[in-house]
Amino acid sequence: MIPFDYQRATDADAAVELVDGNPGAAFLGGGTNLVDHLKLGVAEPEMLVDVSRLPYDTVEPLPGGGVRIGSAVPNSDLAAHPVIREKYPVLSQALLAGASGQLRNLATTGGNLLQRTRCVYFQDVSTPCNKRDPGSGCSAREGYTRHHAILGASESCVATHPSDMAVALAMLDAVVQVQGPDGPREVPVTELHRLPGDEPQRDTVLGPADLITAVDLPEQAMAARSTYRKVRDRASYAFALVSVAGALDVVDGTIRQARIAFGGLAHKPWRATRAEEALRGGPATEEMFRAAADAELAEASPLQDNAFKVPMSRNTLVSVLRDLM
Ligand SMILES: Cc1cc2nc3c(=O)[nH]c(=O)nc-3n(C[C@H](O)[C@H](O)[C@H](O)COP(=O)(O)OP(=O)(O)OC[C@H]3O[C@@H](n4cnc5c(N)ncnc54)[C@H](O)[C@@H]3O)c2cc1C
Ligand code: SF4
């Protein structure tokens, strides 16, 4: 590991100032992703600015309804929080489906959102990777692609976004509070992560000195019956092959509204707007659920090792919607 400086930020402004204009500096949350990257040589920051002890460690009600989750709240505390469990069970379930108990104790809300892809070539510095080393090529394109994207990928990169929590937040229309060099701003979670295009090195729309301070969840009655299902190679400690976050509002057998997001399929949490649109106003039947899944997956473009993700996504979505009835 290359030596680096360590600073503990005293407040958000100081944290932003330390990173702004210093291309060798990076924020440090729980370190469960970034420190691995330091060890692997994937990241080589000259300075880590520790933001895990900033006063963003609470879950508070918002004045107009909903809740604000501080960026330093550990994943385990968030999953166990009584308001999250009661009003947003999909978020609690998604968090508990991720990593391990020990990792969740360290991992933070901000760091979880900004964790980087688990593409094995990205993590292996001996291989070409456009995300790690722009312009070097994509080893996955001709390599092993069981875990890679079937939606929204590009010639440059076919990686998937790994966070389970982010899938639930995208389904819930959560909004990220950002403190940047030009002051505070809000970014909807659905717009936070990018598709790779020809700049796969950029995972999100944030700049290097943009600090996540909180995530806001809007008040949402139907979220109280939301759910998360994750399909993976092992029962625990494995990233999603496919996951689905969903909620349904059904009255007298007719779907008033559906909220759906997929994980494991794309470079970002994939809000399934086509499926939601197909379901709206229709009968809550298995046939309808299948048609909605097909509408969303019509443009899926599987790679050599992951064609199974198409039927797996369809079946997982249908079973989630069936269970929400
Ligand atoms: C073995 C293993 C298995 C795992 N399995 C899963 C899984 O199944 N599902 C899943 O979702 N995750 C899984 N994870 C990933 C884990 O959830 C993430 O490592 C963790 O959430 C990252 O949070 P952190 O606070 O430790 O981030 P860090 O490692 O501290 O930081 C990650 C990134 O976020 C940036 N950052 C941190 N905080 C902020 C902030 N407030 N504002 C701006 N930037 C910030 C850092 O600069 C860095 O780029 C696994 C990890 C491991 C090691
Ligand atoms: S899929 Fe993306 S992250 Fe993986 S090797 Fe290709 S460019 Fe790198």
Side-chain angles (χ1 to χ4, degrees), residues 86-89 218-226 247-249 259:
E86 187 192 331
K87 295 178 75 175
Y88 308 95
E219 180 75 22
Q220 214 178 87
M222 68 190 279
R225 284 201 59 242
S226 56
L248 265 188
D249 177 8
R259 291 175 168 274

Side-chain angles (χ1 to χ4, degrees), residues 20-285:
D20 191 26
N22 181 355
F27 297 123
L28 178 72
T32 62
N33 191 222
L34 185 52
V35 173
D36 275 359
H37 286 168
L38 262 72
K39 292 183 197 158
L40 293 167
V42 170
E44 295 180 341
E46 288 161 15
M47 183 200 284
L48 293 184
V49 177
D50 190 340
V51 293
S52 65
R53 316 229 181 142
L54 292 179
Y56 301 125
D57 55 353
T58 55
V59 179
E60 306 280 355
L62 283 168
V67 290
R68 172 162 291 177
I69 301 161
S71 59
V73 173
N75 288 177
S76 46
D77 289 6
L78 186 57
H81 195 282
V83 174
I84 301 299
R85 290 180 55 179
E86 187 192 331
K87 295 178 75 175
Y88 308 95
V90 63
L91 179 54
S92 181
Q93 290 166 18
L95 285 159
L96 293 174
S100 64
Q102 290 94 329
L103 286 160
R104 291 194 294 268
N105 286 343
L106 276 177
T108 61
T109 307
N112 188 308
L113 273 173
L114 297 188
Q115 64 175 292
R116 308 208 69 192
T117 183
R118 290 282 157 166
C119 173
V120 290
Y121 305 102
F122 174 74
Q123 294 185 311
D124 178 354
V125 293
S126 69
T127 62
C129 167
N130 287 325
K131 185 180 279 296
R132 178 171 28 77
D133 184 11
S136 62
C138 172
S139 300
R141 275 256 162 223
E142 301 302 323
Y144 183 59
T145 51
R146 177 173 171 76
H147 289 271
H148 289 74
I150 62 168
L151 290 168
S154 73
E155 278 302 310
S156 302
C157 179
V158 291
T160 51
H161 183 74
S163 166
D164 291 294
M165 182 190 80
V167 180
L169 293 178
M171 183 278 243
L172 290 167
D173 278 333
V175 175
V176 178
Q177 299 294 330
V178 178
Q179 179 75 30
D182 297 326
R185 70 184 196 279
E186 297 187 334
V187 182
V189 168
T190 48
E191 293 168 23
L192 177 70
H193 301 96
R194 295 176 68 254
L195 292 179
D198 55 9
E199 283 188 301
Q201 69 276 18
R202 291 181 55 221
D203 291 344
T204 71
V205 299
L206 300 186
D210 280 336
L211 176 73
I212 295 180
T213 56
V215 176
D216 291 355
L217 296 182
E219 180 75 22
Q220 214 178 87
M222 68 190 279
R225 284 201 59 242
S226 56
T227 195
Y228 189 74
R229 185 155 309 159
K230 176 173 176 180
V231 185
R232 48 188 155 175
D233 282 329
R234 290 190 309 261
S236 71
Y237 215 46
F239 290 88
L241 290 165
V242 171
S243 67
V244 173
L248 265 188
D249 177 8
V250 179
V251 177
D252 297 334
T254 300
I255 301 165
R256 281 209 303 209
Q257 203 189 349
R259 291 175 168 274
I260 300 161
F262 282 109
L265 301 190
H267 200 252
K268 59 184 286 183
W270 189 267
R271 184 70 185 263
T273 49
R274 290 179 190 193
E276 291 177 357
E277 187 55 38
L279 290 167
R280 193 171 299 125
T285 60

